Structure formats: structure tokens, C-alpha cells
Amino acid sequence: MTSPRTPGTPPAPPVELTLLPIGGRPAADEPVGGCGDGCGCGAGPEADADFDPLTCGLDPELAALLTAAGLDPVLVEDIAHLAVEEDLDQGVDVTTVATIPETAVATADFTARQAGTVAGLRVAEAVLSVVCTDELEVERLVEDGDRVEAGQVLLSVTTRTRDLLTGERSALNLLCRLSGIATATRAWADALAGTGTRVRDTRKTTPGLRALEKYAVRCGGGVNHRMSLSDAALIKDNHVIAAGGVAEAFRRVRAEFPGVPVEVEVDRLDQIEPVLAEGADLLLLDNFSPEQTAAAVELVAGRAELESSGRLTLADAADYAATGVTYLAVGALTHSAPILDIGLDLRSEGRD
């Protein structure tokens, strides 16, 4: 497989991937149990009993590329299997099996139908690699985070035609979704360019896809907030009500988890000083106007970071950035981003 392309250099030649059959099932002529020759881990049926099956699966270089991007290859492989198996539902692709000869081989191009920022190309590769039953050649033409134009070919793949068509929708569902998030994030990052303010995501993500969706935010130039409830504390209005006050809620978190960063949501200027006195690391300014945000920045005077949240739009992004706030929290990056339209186009020169 190839390494990521340096901008401005020619595309690398096609490469071949080592494949894991769908669902991890061995080929018909292989013994049941353990991995077969098609598995990227290289461990055959006689693998050591201590071998960790969670390391088994994707082509090693593809797994390395995912790891370098901050993604867990095991998680990506699991998502790929779930997506394809949901489509097959324990059966077969009846349309493709009926219309495509078993031995037919084809080349197909992932092509952008509209301009945007791409994310999830290696994820799409992972989907195809778990459904393909023959060698998969991959030619990478752009990288995640690149801006692309309508009509631009992003990735070319060559393998059995049946496998391409069976995995097409699952691969595109993820690629279009992640590229849509990256494209939406890029619009915010562009609006904030030249300021000290960064756009940041939330936990308003699709269940099971948080790691991928937050990766797409990074591809678009955004910053990740916490990945889980255990990463950091975020004291919001319901915590305040239950604890009996903002300062009291903060003290309880500090006492129970002294090493965890604590962010506190405030919705009035008069709540800021008591929370700062307790030692808050970051304040979430909920539904503050730009004028109120500027007053909060002046009041805090660098004693904590500040994050604006609530009803933010691209049109007012520059106004908030001008106040000196550290982050803009935008849940819409993940919960409302439209997909980036990308298609898989089978070339007409497929061969039998």
C-alpha cells in the first residue's frame, strides 16, 4: 500500500490490499477457526493461543494509516462489518449476484459530485476490504482534509465487480457523511481564519460513529471537545439545579475527581466570579450575545478559557471571534451537517 500523498506530488501507483473475508469467516477451503491466508494479521489456523483477535483484520498498512490519523483500526473494522452486514442481512446482494458474472473484475472511481472537504477515504477502503473476496487494488488521489471540486476523482479501486457493487452503498454512506461534516466544519474554520478563536464540536454525534465524526471535524479544521463523559467534567444547568448551585456543583466535582478538567456553563455574567474563585478551567457562555461575550472576556481577563455556545451561526461567527473568546461550540457540525455528494462510478472497461 502507499503512504499519504504530499500535496503537489503525482498520485502513487495502485497497491494491493490483504483482505479479511466479511464477518471474519474463513474461505471454503480453509479450516474453521483461526485466521486464513487472506487475513491481514498473517496468523493462520495454527496461531498461538495467546494471539489477540482484536489485532486481526485490516491490511497492516491500512491499519497504520488509520492509527496515524487518530482512529482505532479495530473500531473502523467493526463499523465496516456492521455496515455491510446490515445491508446483507445474512443473505446476498440478489441484484448483483443475478446480473454480474462471478469472475468479472472492474475498476471504479469514487468521484465528488460537488465541491467540499473530504474525510473518510481510509474508512471507505476498510469497508471494501471486508466485503471483497479477491485482491483489492487501491489508487489514492487525494487525502482526508483536502478540498475537492465537483467531478474530481478521489479514490480508484479495482477488484471483483460483485464485491464493488455489494460494498458500494456502505462505503459511500460513511464517506459522504464524514465528508459532509468536514465540509461544514471547514466553512466555520474559514470564517474564523485569522482570529484566535477555534470552532469546536460537541457530543451530539451519531451513536456508534462518534470517533469517526469527530475525526471528520478535525479534517475540516475544527477542534474536538471531550470524546466521552469521562474525559472532562462539564457542569450544565441540570447539574446546577441538582447540586444546589454552580459553585457547589463545581466543588463536588473537584472533590470527587480532583485531576479532571472542569468546564462550567454559565448563563449570566454574575455567575462568573464565583466559579472563577473555585478554580474553573473553562467557562461555557450559554446564549450570550456578542456584547455580553465581550463583557465576559473582559471580566475573566485570561483567568480561564471561554467557550461560546447556543444559537451560533456562520453569519455571526466573526462577531463572536472579535470578542476574544477561545472556542465556538457548534453541535450542528455533527448533528445537522448535510452529506457531501460522492458517487462510485464503474468504468466501462471492466474485464471478465
Side-chain angles (χ1 to χ4, degrees):
M1 293 174 60
T2 57
S3 299
R5 178 179 60 84
T6 301
T9 61
V15 293
E16 293 183 354
L17 300 179
T18 306
L19 306 178
L20 174 68
I22 182 68
R25 295 186 291 272
D29 58 349
E30 292 175 347
V32 176
C35 304
D37 292 337
C39 184
C41 70
E46 305 303 323
D48 189 279
D50 294 330
F51 177 74
D52 183 2
L54 293 181
T55 65
C56 174
L58 302 178
D59 175 90
E61 191 171 346
L62 176 56
L65 291 175
L66 289 167
T67 301
L71 293 172
D72 179 356
V74 174
L75 173 66
V76 172
E77 183 190 359
D78 287 345
I79 291 172
H81 278 293
L82 286 171
V84 175
E85 288 169 354
E86 180 180 53
D87 243 359
L88 292 177
D89 194 23
Q90 305 301 312
V92 298
D93 178 355
V94 295
T95 310
T96 296
V97 168
T99 59
I100 307 298
E102 184 176 1
T103 58
V105 173
T107 297
D109 300 314
F110 285 89
T111 304
R113 303 281 194 251
Q114 61 186 129
T117 298
V118 69
L121 288 165
R122 303 294 82 77
V123 176
E125 284 185 42
V127 172
L128 292 179
S129 74
V130 301
V131 75
C132 286
T133 55
D134 202 351
E135 293 287 350
L136 172 65
E137 288 187 358
V138 177
E139 185 179 8
R140 301 180 183 125
L141 303 172
V142 302
E143 291 297 327
D144 286 349
D146 285 355
R147 297 176 191 259
V148 299
E149 298 299 326
Q152 186 171 352
V153 177
L154 314 177
L155 178 72
S156 296
V157 293
T158 301
T159 192
R160 285 208 324 161
T161 313
R162 283 186 176 185
D163 297 337
L164 274 175
L165 297 182
T166 296
E168 171 185 5
R169 178 43 52 197
S170 296
L172 285 173
N173 282 347
L174 290 167
L175 180 58
C176 293
R177 169 70 178 156
L178 299 182
S179 296
I181 291 171
T183 299
T185 305
R186 179 63 64 190
W188 282 87
D190 287 347
L192 298 173
T195 75
T197 303
R198 304 290 301 277
V199 64
R200 191 152 81 155
D201 56 25
T202 70
R203 287 188 303 109
K204 296 174 182 177
T205 54
T206 306
L209 296 182
R210 176 171 297 165
L212 299 188
E213 293 182 347
K214 282 180 172 280
Y215 165 70
V217 168
R218 299 196 300 274
C219 289
V223 178
N224 293 151
H225 195 196
R226 54 184 181 166
M227 297 293 292
S228 72
L229 292 170
S230 63
D231 290 350
L234 174 52
I235 299 171
K236 296 177 69 68
D237 51 358
N238 284 334
H239 301 105
V240 171
I241 293 171
V246 174
E248 178 60 25
F250 182 88
R251 285 192 290 269
R252 292 186 187 183
V253 172
R254 271 285 189 250
E256 186 75 18
F257 301 100
V260 171
V262 183
E263 180 176 1
V264 181
E265 179 184 89
V266 297
D267 53 24
R268 302 191 314 272
L269 284 169
D270 64 293
Q271 295 173 321
I272 291 177
E273 278 296 349
V275 175
L276 287 176
E278 295 292 337
D281 302 294
L282 192 149
L283 301 183
L284 179 69
L285 308 177
D286 185 41
N287 288 311
F288 276 45
S289 67
E291 294 74 22
Q292 292 170 319
T293 302
V297 170
E298 183 177 1
L299 178 61
V300 172
R303 288 176 288 171
E305 292 187 320
L306 294 173
E307 180 172 29
S308 293
S309 176
R311 303 190 184 95
L312 301 176
T313 67
L314 272 173
D316 58 24
D319 292 335
Y320 278 93
T323 69
V325 70
T326 313
Y327 301 112
L328 301 186
V330 181
L333 297 181
T334 52
H335 72 60
S336 297
I339 67 162
L340 183 68
D341 190 6
I342 299 171
L344 184 70
D345 300 320
L346 207 66
R347 295 184 190 173
S348 59
E349 65 268 24
R351 60 189 188 276
D352 290 346

